[in-house]
Amino acid sequence: MSERSMIHLDRVTKVYPGSSVPAVEELTLGIEEGEILVLVGPSGCGKSTTLRLINRMIEPSGGNIYFDGEDVTDVNPDLLRRRIGYVIQQIGLFPHHTIGQNIATVPKMLGWDKKQVAERVDELLDTVGLDPAEFRDRYPKELSGGQAQRVGVARALGADPAVMLMDEPFGAIDPITRDRLQNEFLRLQAELRKTIVFVTHDIDEAIKMGDRIAILGERSVIRQCDTPERILAYPVDDFVDDFIGAGSTLKGLNFERVNSLDLPEYPTMRLGDSLEVGLAAFNGGHQEWLLLLDAEGRPLRWLRRADLTRSEGQLRDRGHPVRAHVEPNATLHDTLEEMLNSSTGASVVVDKRGRYLGVVEIRQLVEVIRELRTEAKEHYEALEAAST
Amino acid sequence: MEGVTSWLGYVGKNYDDILQATWEHARLVLIVIVAATFFSVILGVLVQRNATARAMSLSIAGIFLTIPSLALFALFIPLVGIGNPPALIALFLYAILPILRNTVTGLDEVSPAVVESAKGMGLNTWQQLIRVRLPLAWPVVMAGVRVSSLLVVGIAAIAVLVGGDGLGTFIQGGLTRLGLPGSVESVWVGTVFTVLLGLVLDAGFALVQRLTTSAGLRI
């Protein structure tokens, strides 16, 4: 929250004429370069108003707004807005202009030459996954909702602004297309590293899109502003807890990956090993199951102790098949899902070639959750200690 | 049948005069429509977002339409003398309402999201009007222009009573000589050519409307 933030709001207030209660009250917030900060909160909390104060679509009644250290509270708002990409839910493409002309709007206003503008239009259409030759000369009425939203994003990126403001950009799109657009947008952002303020009322979208999330209460008061992981692990008060809703622990598992776990020793034996090897492995620990691997080290069967000593049939036909396995970059959420599908309540971790790396059990997930909570709690206690 | 033949004979004999009068009539209408379009679009833009000003200007423009045309034409003689000037002023006042009303409606119908995004990209108020709001309202404005032109073509025939020219001269001439040879034919010339002129002008404005409307707005 320093002067080095890309966008810095300093005690920004908005009081509408004729209203005694401010819509936004003394909001101080820093948005760091290259991050997506999501403003999320119940409807009517003033999150859209807050967003629109940043590009001064709404003029603040008090406080200051800084861009990269420069006070922009009183500069010409039209010139300011040409430096900021702006995407709204209804998109608002110009219906009388072609897609190309729409995307060229800001570059043209900034006086780019024709060739430069044409190249930029094609480049941006490519960037958002639309074929320039096919779409450049079409009109907005010929686009589907998802295509129009892509063009809206391309238009906002027109003059390569460092900052983008997005007001529920995927709010009016069907869930399947929305999911795809969100993923595409995140991939795009990984390359572009824009500084983005993103408004939504959907906590799941906030968790998915945000590097940080600011949960706003009435009058746009920040109730909690942190990474999604920490907010899910440690909601600071009942308001935040209510807002993120049930299942926050489960959602939190989306942010942790298998390769962050220490995988403990687990009894295994290979096909072709003698039964003694297997029995010895059991004796070493107190596990109920042993994992049978093939000659390449790929997991085959879950075996109980009794399966080893039984005399009838091949070893590879005894016990239960290994159905559930994950790769090291899988999220713990997916791992849990696999675990629940598994006959043994454990999920086997394998490398890309399917070779055994280790086993994840439910108690390791419980441990991770406990650690996340402790870490978040200590973080907030440290903050509190520092502020008193 | 005999009437039609004698009428065609009359037209053939007075061909030059009829063309001349039609041209004068068209000129009256075109001057009035161009002036009324400029005036009404500017007024419409100014009053659209102010409920009081908008209601007032629409009411006044409506009142002009209810003033009997004969009286309205004559009212301006003391101010500008006789001839075409009083006719032009009266026709101008008649032409305002359809264009003004359609300008206001057309601007109302521009999607707020489009204006919001225009403003958000840094178009100033003037650029928003010229590049976005007016082009989007334009097909509706042009529909108003076409209604006005049809209205004015008919009423312009009265110009002759205040000393103006146009096809009204044939109607008035015929009426004052009623019963004499060629009088009925003369009235018919005035009527038929006024109607034809109205159709031609409407077709012309329809073409202008099409040429000045973006392909993205055509249905």
Side-chain angles (χ1 to χ4, degrees):
Chain A
M1 237 58 45
S2 62
E3 299 75 47
R4 282 168 50 210
S5 299
M6 190 66 201
I7 306 170
H8 181 63
L9 305 183
D10 182 27
R11 283 170 293 137
V12 171
T13 299
K14 177 64 189 179
V15 188
Y16 283 107
S19 166
S20 54
V21 187
V24 177
E25 191 172 33
E26 300 234 331
L27 180 73
T28 296
L29 180 65
I31 298 116
E32 305 306 320
E33 188 169 355
E35 78 168 340
I36 301 183
L37 178 87
V38 179
L39 302 177
V40 65
S43 49
C45 71
K47 52 191 189 295
S48 270
T49 305
T50 303
L51 187 83
R52 290 154 54 84
L53 283 167
I54 297 174
N55 63 353
R56 293 183 39 218
M57 295 294 280
I58 298 175
E59 290 291 348
S61 324
N64 291 77
I65 302 165
Y66 298 90
F67 258 70
D68 211 2
E70 174 199 352
D71 188 342
V72 295
T73 323
D74 296 313
V75 303
N76 178 324
D78 294 319
L79 298 182
L80 174 68
R81 288 179 203 132
R82 290 175 201 174
R83 294 161 51 190
I84 303 174
Y86 187 47
V87 183
I88 56 176
Q89 184 179 335
Q90 310 86 332
I91 316 170
L93 294 179
F94 297 160
H96 59 306
H97 285 177
T98 63
I99 305 309
Q101 289 167 331
N102 266 285
I103 296 173
T105 307
V106 179
K108 268 191 196 156
M109 271 194 293
L110 295 178
W112 295 19
D113 68 55
K114 262 196 173 147
K115 190 164 160 278
Q116 219 181 347
V117 172
E119 282 170 7
R120 181 67 180 156
V121 166
D122 285 5
E123 182 190 342
L124 282 170
L125 280 171
D126 257 336
T127 307
V128 297
L130 297 172
D131 176 17
E134 191 187 340
F135 285 93
R136 193 193 298 126
D137 298 319
R138 286 205 197 172
Y139 284 96
K141 66 178 177 190
E142 299 164 74
L143 300 180
S144 71
Q147 288 168 341
Q149 193 52 269
R150 286 193 181 93
V151 174
V153 170
R155 184 173 69 167
L157 288 168
D160 203 18
V163 172
M164 302 258 283
L165 305 180
M166 310 182 82
D167 194 350
E168 306 224 13
F170 309 126
I173 292 170
D174 69 88
I176 294 169
T177 312
R178 181 192 315 157
D179 195 55
R180 206 169 59 223
L181 287 179
Q182 288 169 338
N183 294 337
E184 271 175 26
F185 187 76
L186 287 173
R187 213 159 33 235
L188 201 62
Q189 165 65 357
E191 287 169 38
L192 301 175
R193 306 303 304 165
K194 301 287 181 195
T195 304
I196 296 170
V197 187
F198 190 109
V199 164
T200 179
H201 63 269
D202 176 359
I203 185 68
D204 290 319
E205 183 169 60
I207 291 167
K208 180 170 181 180
M209 304 303 287
D211 294 314
R212 285 194 303 146
I213 299 176
I215 296 183
L216 305 179
E218 264 177 39
R219 288 166 284 123
S220 253
V221 173
I222 299 178
R223 307 304 289 251
Q224 187 169 8
C225 179
D226 214 324
T227 60
E229 291 95 317
R230 248 193 225 128
I231 287 179
L232 289 170
Y234 193 77
V236 288
D237 58 20
D238 288 346
F239 178 89
V240 176
D241 200 30
D242 278 351
F243 189 74
I244 60 182
S248 59
T249 312
L250 268 184
K251 288 172 192 164
L253 289 178
N254 272 316
F255 292 97
E256 301 298 319
R257 295 187 184 275
V258 171
N259 49 22
S260 70
L261 300 176
D262 287 326
L263 300 177
E265 284 284 313
Y266 202 86
T268 58
M269 68 180 288
R270 287 192 182 224
L271 207 58
D273 284 345
S274 66
L275 290 181
E276 283 68 35
V277 175
L279 289 169
F282 264 125
N283 289 336
H286 34 72
Q287 251 85 5
E288 187 188 355
W289 298 91
L290 173 143
L291 196 57
L292 176 67
L293 312 175
D294 69 6
E296 318 296 325
R298 288 181 298 234
L300 286 176
R301 309 288 289 184
W302 290 106
L303 300 175
R304 280 203 173 86
R305 199 183 179 93
D307 294 322
L308 286 179
T309 50
R310 232 166 15 158
S311 56
E312 80 277 11
Q314 293 280 323
L315 196 56
R316 64 177 312 151
D317 298 327
R318 299 180 197 166
H320 295 275
V322 175
R323 259 188 253 113
H325 49 72
V326 293
E327 288 186 9
N329 64 352
T331 66
L332 294 191
H333 190 272
D334 294 343
T335 309
L336 178 64
E337 172 80 22
E338 291 297 316
M339 231 176 251
L340 297 175
N341 280 326
S342 150
S343 42
T344 63
S347 179
V348 180
V349 185
V350 296
D351 67 11
K352 277 204 165 56
R353 298 206 181 130
R355 287 177 306 206
Y356 169 82
L357 291 174
V359 171
V360 184
E361 292 175 295
I362 192 87
R363 58 191 168 80
Q364 284 160 276
L365 299 190
V366 174
E367 186 60 32
V368 167
I369 290 162
R370 186 163 48 224
E371 275 168 22
L372 282 173
R373 289 207 177 132
T374 315
E375 187 271 335
K377 187 160 178 272
E378 280 167 358
H379 171 79
Y380 280 104
E381 281 167 358
L383 280 183
E384 211 165 300
S387 67
T388 49
Chain B
M1 201 57 221
E2 195 188 315
V4 174
T5 321
S6 78
W7 184 74
L8 287 176
Y10 183 89
V11 170
K13 238 182 341 189
N14 299 284
Y15 191 67
D16 286 344
D17 289 346
I18 294 172
L19 269 194
Q20 173 70 21
T22 308
W23 160 241
E24 286 161 0
H25 201 102
R27 195 176 53 186
L28 269 181
V29 174
L30 286 173
I31 292 170
V32 162
I33 292 300
V34 169
T37 303
F38 271 101
F39 176 82
S40 309
V41 168
I42 292 168
L43 183 65
V45 167
L46 292 176
V47 303
Q48 185 236 343
R49 285 174 170 172
N50 181 321
T52 320
R54 157 193 186 132
M56 264 177 58
S57 49
L58 284 171
S59 306
I60 293 170
I63 288 169
F64 287 142
L65 264 186
T66 65
I67 299 176
S69 31
L70 203 53
L72 190 62
F73 276 70
L75 278 176
F76 294 103
I77 296 177
L79 295 175
V80 292
I82 57 165
N84 280 332
L88 284 170
I89 297 174
L91 291 173
F92 173 78
L93 294 179
Y94 281 129
I96 292 172
L97 184 68
I99 307 177
L100 179 65
R101 167 146 289 178
N102 279 36
T103 301
V104 169
T105 310
L107 290 172
D108 282 348
E109 282 171 3
V110 174
S111 150
V114 171
V115 179
E116 162 99 1
S117 81
K119 189 179 170 194
M121 280 189 287
L123 276 77
N124 61 35
T125 315
W126 175 250
Q127 291 168 324
Q128 286 167 40
L129 177 70
I130 294 301
R131 296 200 198 163
V132 181
R133 294 171 58 219
L134 268 184
L136 292 181
W138 189 246
V140 185
V141 175
M142 277 306 295
V145 169
R146 289 171 65 181
V147 171
S148 275
S149 84
L150 288 176
L151 190 76
V152 167
V153 166
I155 302 176
I158 293 173
V160 68
L161 298 181
V162 294
D165 44 30
L167 287 163
T169 48
F170 282 90
I171 299 172
Q172 197 222 12
L175 287 175
T176 50
R177 291 181 289 113
L178 215 55
L180 297 173
S183 62
V184 175
E185 285 84 350
S186 177
V187 172
W188 275 108
V189 162
T191 310
V192 169
F193 277 84
T194 301
V195 169
L196 286 179
L197 178 61
L199 295 177
V200 169
L201 283 177
D202 192 51
F205 281 121
L207 186 67
V208 172
Q209 177 175 23
R210 190 174 170 79
L211 292 179
T212 54
T213 299
S214 153
L217 298 179
R218 287 185 210 137
I219 305 150

